[in-house]
Amino acid sequence: VIHEDDLPAAIGCALFSGVRGVFNVTGAGEVPLGVAISEAGSRAVRLPELAFSVLAGRFGLPKYADGAVDFLKHPCLIDGSHFRETTGYEPAHGLRDTLRSMRRR
């Protein structure tokens, strides 16, 4: 998760630092998915996997990419520290502020 206002700075660091390669680019901090959902002002709804796959793309729910269910079932941590150390990028917005900025107005 990265704040939309931090994204231009991250892109600038990537372009002008002279580094090459593939990096994870993240904002500040990390939280479990459930916390991210609640901080963004939404509510998590638990569904059996079969119901999730049947309902996706119907009743106003989005269609999900292949592998999305596995991503939700098996959490991962994306570490952006290598990008920050290599380019000097530092996000201006904290994680909770970033998540709260995603709330519907």
Side-chain angles (χ1 to χ4, degrees):
V1 176
I2 187 169
H3 195 283
E4 64 185 335
D5 292 342
D6 285 337
L7 193 54
I11 292 171
C13 285
L15 292 174
F16 299 113
S17 67
V19 299
R20 297 180 62 91
V22 178
F23 293 86
N24 291 323
V25 181
T26 63
E30 58 278 325
V31 294
L33 181 59
V35 173
I37 290 169
S38 65
E39 286 292 326
S42 293
R43 186 173 55 115
V45 177
R46 295 182 186 266
L47 290 175
E49 186 173 346
L50 179 61
F52 185 82
S53 61
V54 168
L55 294 173
R58 296 182 172 97
F59 309 109
L61 297 172
K63 181 79 174 136
Y64 294 91
D66 292 338
V69 173
D70 287 336
F71 178 77
L72 294 171
K73 286 178 14 182
H74 308 289
C76 71
L77 177 65
I78 299 173
D79 182 3
S81 63
H82 184 59
F83 180 75
R84 288 192 301 276
E85 292 164 2
T86 305
T87 65
Y89 166 72
E90 283 299 326
H93 297 276
L95 179 59
R96 295 206 186 266
D97 289 338
T98 300
L99 294 169
R100 289 180 183 146
S101 76
M102 295 166 48
R103 292 181 180 207
R104 294 183 185 156
R105 289 176 175 41

